[in-house]
Amino acid sequence: MSAITSLDRPNSYIGRSVPRPNAKRLLAGRGRYVTDITLPRMLHVAYVRSPYAHAKIVSIDAQAAREAPGVRLVATGEDLAKLCTPWVGTMDHFKGMKSPPQLPLPIDKVVWAGQAVVAVVADTRALAEDAAELVYIEFDELPAVVDIDAARDPDAPVISPELGSNLCFQGKLDTGSVDDVFASAALVVEEEFHFGRHTAVTMEPRAIIADYDASEPKLTVHHATQTPYQFQDIYSRHYGIPESCVRVIAPDIGGSFGMKLHMYHEDMAVVGLSIMLGRPVKYVADRMESFVSDIHARDHRVRARMAADADGNILAMDVEDVTGIGAFSAYPRTSVVEGNQVYRLMGAPYTFKNYRADLQVVFQNKVQMSQYRAVGHPVACTVTERLVDMIAAKTAQDVFAIRSGNLIPDDAYPCTSPTGYKFESLSHHACLAKIRELMDYDGLRAEQAELRKQGIHRGIGIATFVEITNPSPAFYGVGGVRISSQDGAILKITPSGDVRCLISITELGQGTETIVGQIVAEHLGVDRDRIKVITGDTETTPHGGATYACRGAGIGGETALQAAQKLKGNVLSVAAAILQEDAGKLDMQAGWIIDKATGQQRIELAEIARIAYFRSDTLPPGTQAQLSVAHHYAPEGYPFAFTNGVQACHLELDVETGMVKILKVWVVEDCGRVINPLLVDEQIRGGVVQGLGAAFFEECVYGEGGQLTNGSLADYLVPMAVEMPDIVVAHVETPTLDTQLGAKGVGEAGTAAASAAAMNAINDAMSPFGGTIAQVPMTPARILKALGHI
């Protein structure tokens, strides 16, 4: 970590590893999460859940529960449907997409095991759970549709008969001539890949308190979410409450990773229950509930092939992706975005032009699958990079050489991918060269050869990636979804000369408040310690997209920068009036107004504030000090700011047991301007760990009847610190020219290629034995099967 020294220019914060100002508070146990909040007259809800994956609700007998001690309300789907309008998780630009309407609680049937059916509200959670056990629901079980092939069978039961089939969406991309290219290619490699479901397992599970006050009327929701403005809009529209009367507060968040930006049935029900009771109602998902009600991620089967000439030059890709999303498409972002990004990111780093892909998104009797950290990226990256390694093997080329010969040259940008993505400027060759040196690739290969003679089998895997960040309105706006691509900031000089920044991007523990403070401090010319950043409250901060899709630094940071410039202009205007000086000859530095040419301090910012707030009568006539500004910024130019990089994985495989020891991971990435190296590196390391979790450990396993069979932390494996390797991170910086700041996103870079590098490393380690694997997680049993041992 590089600390600020006296040698640095005053207020030079961008590019510095400034520690998070909230870190000490959180480490001291002073974090305030929704779980910590207790409101006067607050009640608690417990849900009665379906034991079946697919069943009709014949009857509900809740009389005994209503008479139980402390119970204030027992509500069914019919009760809540009287208050809440249904929602449908589709987007207009996914032509032909369909999904059934959803309500807080079901009325006539259940569609996954674990779906909440009846809400029991009581004085305490324990009383609510006791009463919930007294609710008797008679179900008529129906055949469950679990497997993605069974879901597409014309004779399969249709989960939502009004839709006509279990197909949610089908998309096709075709540049043409793909069959001709494959027919004439010197070599073709192909594989069938399987990506298991996994889930976020955040330290803090989903939590919400809804507090409806009928006297105003006003709805206040304390919500563990990364997107408070989105939920303000949803609660307003679906419960018919004016938007100005809905306040959503997102306090400290114990992890989100995309999981906490979707609309959940239990959360929507909590709002309705509060309206019905006129009292605050709290719901916190316990760990068992989280496994069966949080969104799951991935769940893809991809059949793909790649054509190349005799020298290993890639000519074309042909892809079929089938993905299962549960019984509904998630709302409001949809579950199709996952598959859409899979088939549009395939082959993104490479030069070939011929591409064809078929995407089928199907309904199943499982909990919803939708957007999670690095949406679709690991799937596209793993398929592409494994096929590239297979071409390398066929042509007897080194894995670096095959990539160097096929990656888009760094000086060939801007360019457009075969799937239509427009790349401003990427740097794969620079990243590839840097990671080779960083990891001592040649040394590792020599060591690998020596160790194989001793019966020790190590593998080296390389994977390049492209990441989608800084989404413009082309992401959700064009689909008719009310998710903002812009952000807003209000910047104020306080009477003491401090600075308050109220901004729409949110703090999830990733360092939003830190980087925003750095940007404002540098561009306003004040010390970072004098800036307070406030996030996560729709009542006090301006409307904006908040935090998703790696947009916080790139869009929120640019918003803060432009707001700081605007406020600085206002401050200098007032200073010029006081000093009887040309504002253009003044600047701000270290909390002072200085002479721009000489650096001489002229008047302190605190004195400007004192005069403006308390002695405006001493200002020249006509001077109205504007020491607060509100500013909004929406991305223009490229629809997305794509980032890129390379990951490498080094591991050791026990070929007798299938156990894997991950030895080291290297990441060289290019997120444009690096605002805070410390936070960027830790974002990447955290992302890599999540990616390795999917690669080796995590999987939601379902039985044939649609039951989740490992829905607890006793059965579901998450990576632990002892299993994680050292992760070395380095950077190449190619700032986007669409903004002054030049920053792109970085939050998903670590996850995007971790599985791909790991899979290539495992296959490299197994290569002496002729075994291959194309399924994640790569469990010991699957590895032993690939080796032919079982």
Side-chain angles (χ1 to χ4, degrees):
M1 173 179 135
S2 55
I4 298 175
T5 73
S6 59
L7 299 177
D8 292 317
R9 180 174 57 82
N11 311 130
S12 174
Y13 291 100
I14 293 179
R16 298 293 179 187
S17 292
V18 177
R20 291 163 51 196
N22 59 355
K24 286 184 179 178
R25 178 176 62 84
L26 296 174
L27 286 172
R30 303 289 291 178
R32 190 168 187 260
Y33 302 88
V34 170
T35 310
D36 298 317
I37 298 173
T38 299
L39 301 179
R41 303 174 65 244
M42 188 172 76
L43 302 171
H44 301 259
V45 59
Y47 290 100
V48 183
R49 297 180 179 277
S50 168
Y52 300 106
H54 197 192
K56 291 182 179 177
I57 300 172
V58 178
S59 64
I60 297 174
D61 182 356
Q63 189 56 39
R66 289 190 173 94
E67 295 173 356
V71 171
R72 304 293 178 166
L73 177 69
V74 177
T76 65
E78 289 184 347
D79 298 326
L80 287 161
K82 296 172 184 173
L83 301 174
C84 181
T85 59
W87 60 91
V88 179
T90 58
M91 286 204 281
D92 297 343
H93 65 308
F94 293 138
K95 300 300 182 188
M97 182 187 177
K98 56 191 179 183
S99 182
Q102 303 177 60
L103 287 166
L105 299 175
I107 293 177
D108 55 357
K109 70 173 184 176
V110 294
V111 288
W112 83 86
Q115 183 176 7
V117 183
V118 176
V120 179
V121 186
D123 292 342
T124 69
R125 175 67 178 257
L127 289 173
E129 290 189 355
D130 288 346
E133 293 183 359
L134 302 176
V135 176
Y136 177 73
I137 306 173
E138 182 182 355
F139 293 101
D140 181 8
E141 187 174 7
L142 299 169
V145 180
V146 181
D147 180 73
I148 55 174
D149 287 324
R152 296 185 299 162
D153 189 320
D155 296 327
V158 178
I159 299 171
S160 298
E162 68 273 23
L163 302 182
S165 74
N166 293 318
L167 185 64
C168 169
F169 175 74
Q170 182 166 17
K172 293 181 180 293
L173 297 171
D174 191 350
T175 59
S177 306
V178 170
D179 284 333
D180 294 340
V181 173
F182 271 89
S184 61
L187 63 95
V188 173
V189 294
E190 58 186 317
E191 186 59 274
E192 179 174 301
F193 299 84
H194 295 265
F195 298 86
R197 279 185 171 222
H198 54 99
T199 189
V201 198
T202 54
M203 286 194 295
E204 178 202 24
R206 288 190 290 117
I208 183 171
I209 302 171
D211 183 7
Y212 183 72
D213 180 353
S215 65
E216 292 194 56
K218 183 176 183 179
L219 173 69
T220 302
V221 182
H222 303 265
H223 200 169
T225 178
Q226 58 198 86
T227 51
Y229 313 95
Q230 169 196 300
F231 285 105
Q232 179 191 38
D233 177 75
I234 288 173
Y235 297 143
S236 166
R237 287 188 292 112
H238 288 282
Y239 278 104
I241 306 170
E243 184 185 81
S244 60
C245 298
V246 179
R247 178 184 187 182
V248 178
I249 303 169
D252 290 323
I253 307 295
S256 184
F257 314 114
M259 184 272 285
K260 292 177 181 172
L261 50 68
H262 305 288
M263 184 69 256
Y264 291 94
H265 301 87
E266 297 93 336
D267 298 355
M268 190 69 113
V270 165
V271 173
L273 296 169
S274 180
I275 292 173
M276 295 168 75
L277 288 160
R279 295 177 63 172
V281 177
K282 183 176 190 176
Y283 171 68
V284 179
D286 65 28
R287 191 62 69 186
M288 303 281 279
E289 288 180 302
S290 295
F291 274 106
V292 298
S293 60
D294 292 354
I295 60 105
H296 291 174
R298 318 311 181 211
D299 200 359
H300 293 256
R301 185 193 63 203
V302 182
R303 291 169 175 151
R305 55 181 184 150
M306 183 177 278
D309 65 18
D311 295 324
N313 297 309
I314 302 170
L315 302 174
M317 277 189 80
D318 189 12
V319 175
E320 177 197 277
D321 177 17
V322 184
T323 176
I325 62 166
F328 301 105
S329 167
Y331 181 75
R333 294 164 189 267
T334 84
S335 299
V336 168
V337 170
E338 161 84 4
N340 184 61
Q341 293 193 179
V342 167
Y343 84 151
R344 290 185 182 279
L345 282 170
M346 289 280 181
Y350 298 103
T351 55
F352 70 89
K353 299 298 181 186
N354 300 97
Y355 181 73
R356 182 173 62 197
D358 179 271
L359 168 67
Q360 294 188 46
V361 182
V362 300
F363 295 115
Q364 323 151 279
N365 289 119
K366 295 181 179 177
V367 72
Q368 293 173 85
M369 187 284 288
S370 194
Q371 295 165 43
Y372 171 74
R373 194 173 196 176
V375 182
H377 292 62
V379 178
C381 185
T382 301
V383 171
T384 301
E385 294 301 307
R386 177 63 191 136
L387 293 177
V388 170
D389 261 22
M390 292 168 71
I391 288 179
K394 288 270 188 182
T395 56
Q397 293 189 64
D398 179 78
V399 294
F400 271 87
I402 190 76
R403 287 172 173 80
S404 181
N406 281 286
L407 288 168
I408 299 171
D410 290 353
D411 60 1
Y413 296 96
C415 66
T416 302
S417 77
T419 66
Y421 279 149
K422 296 178 179 178
F423 300 139
E424 179 190 8
S425 185
L426 304 180
S427 59
H428 276 113
H429 285 272
C431 292
L432 196 68
K434 195 164 189 172
I435 203 168
R436 181 169 186 143
E437 180 180 356
L438 190 69
M439 65 189 290
D440 184 20
Y441 177 72
D442 295 331
L444 289 179
R445 282 296 184 203
E447 179 191 64
Q448 180 188 48
E450 286 300 315
L451 290 174
R452 278 181 177 170
K453 296 174 186 175
Q454 304 170 33
I456 298 172
H457 297 279
R458 292 186 172 178
I460 303 168
I462 307 296
T464 64
F465 65 91
V466 170
E467 182 195 357
I468 299 172
T469 76
N470 293 8
S472 73
F475 201 40
Y476 289 113
V478 298
V481 176
R482 295 168 65 88
I483 296 173
S484 181
S485 62
Q486 64 84 49
D487 274 302
I490 298 172
L491 222 55
K492 306 176 181 178
I493 306 291
T494 70
S496 62
D498 292 337
V499 180
R500 295 171 71 89
C501 177
L502 301 96
I503 194 161
S504 55
I505 55 174
T506 46
E507 173 66 63
L508 310 176
Q510 80 279 45
T512 289
E513 294 173 4
T514 310
I515 63 149
V516 169
Q518 289 179 253
I519 294 166
V520 172
E522 175 146 328
H523 287 272
L524 193 57
V526 298
D527 290 342
R528 170 68 185 85
D529 292 342
R530 301 195 68 173
I531 297 171
K532 183 173 180 57
V533 180
I534 299 168
T535 66
D537 187 343
T538 60
E539 195 88 325
T540 58
T541 59
H543 189 94
T547 302
Y548 65 89
C550 293
R551 62 185 303 285
I555 300 176
E558 181 70 10
T559 307
L561 182 154
Q562 295 185 12
Q565 291 176 333
K566 185 184 287 186
L567 181 58
K568 182 177 180 179
N570 290 358
V571 171
L572 292 181
S573 176
V574 178
I578 295 171
L579 299 171
Q580 300 182 13
E581 182 60 274
D582 181 352
K585 295 181 179 179
L586 300 174
D587 201 353
M588 292 178 65
Q589 192 176 87
W592 281 80
I593 312 303
I594 65 169
D595 184 282
K596 184 184 290 186
T598 66
Q600 180 187 1
Q601 292 179 343
R602 301 288 302 274
I603 186 171
E604 195 170 10
L605 176 60
E607 179 63 5
I608 296 281
R610 187 193 66 82
I611 295 171
Y613 285 114
F614 306 119
R615 290 305 308 273
S616 58
D617 57 310
T618 64
L619 291 170
T623 303
Q624 293 291 332
Q626 302 297 319
L627 299 189
S628 300
V629 299
H631 186 78
H632 291 262
Y633 167 77
E636 300 177 287
Y638 285 87
F640 307 96
F642 288 95
T643 74
N644 67 278
V646 184
Q647 288 198 26
C649 181
H650 187 215
L651 52 77
E652 186 170 304
L653 171 64
D654 185 329
V655 297
E656 300 299 323
T657 66
M659 299 296 289
V660 175
K661 182 177 183 180
I662 310 167
L663 300 173
K664 204 162 191 175
V665 168
W666 297 263
V667 181
V668 175
E669 68 80 48
D670 185 347
C671 63
R673 187 90 171 272
V674 176
I675 299 169
N676 186 321
L678 172 67
L679 296 181
V680 167
D681 288 2
E682 294 314 311
Q683 279 282 301
I684 291 172
R685 289 193 178 95
V688 168
V689 170
Q690 284 190 288
L692 292 176
F696 291 105
F697 303 95
E698 299 183 58
E699 183 172 24
C700 298
V701 180
Y702 280 84
E704 292 182 357
Q707 301 288 335
L708 181 65
T709 61
N710 62 338
S712 79
L713 286 177
D715 302 303
Y716 181 93
L717 291 177
V718 293
M720 308 296 283
V722 69
E723 293 150 341
M724 289 297 101
D726 285 345
I727 301 168
V728 180
V729 181
H731 304 279
V732 171
E733 291 192 55
T734 308
T736 174
L737 301 181
D738 276 350
T739 66
Q740 297 180 55
L741 186 61
K744 308 172 188 176
V746 73
E748 297 169 310
T751 308
S755 292
M759 181 177 284
N760 281 343
I762 287 287
N763 281 298
D764 183 49
M766 290 198 299
S767 59
F769 306 94
T772 64
I773 189 168
Q775 182 172 10
V776 294
M778 295 176 285
T779 62
R782 285 171 180 154
I783 290 172
L784 289 176
K785 186 175 182 181
L787 287 167
H789 294 342
I790 60 174

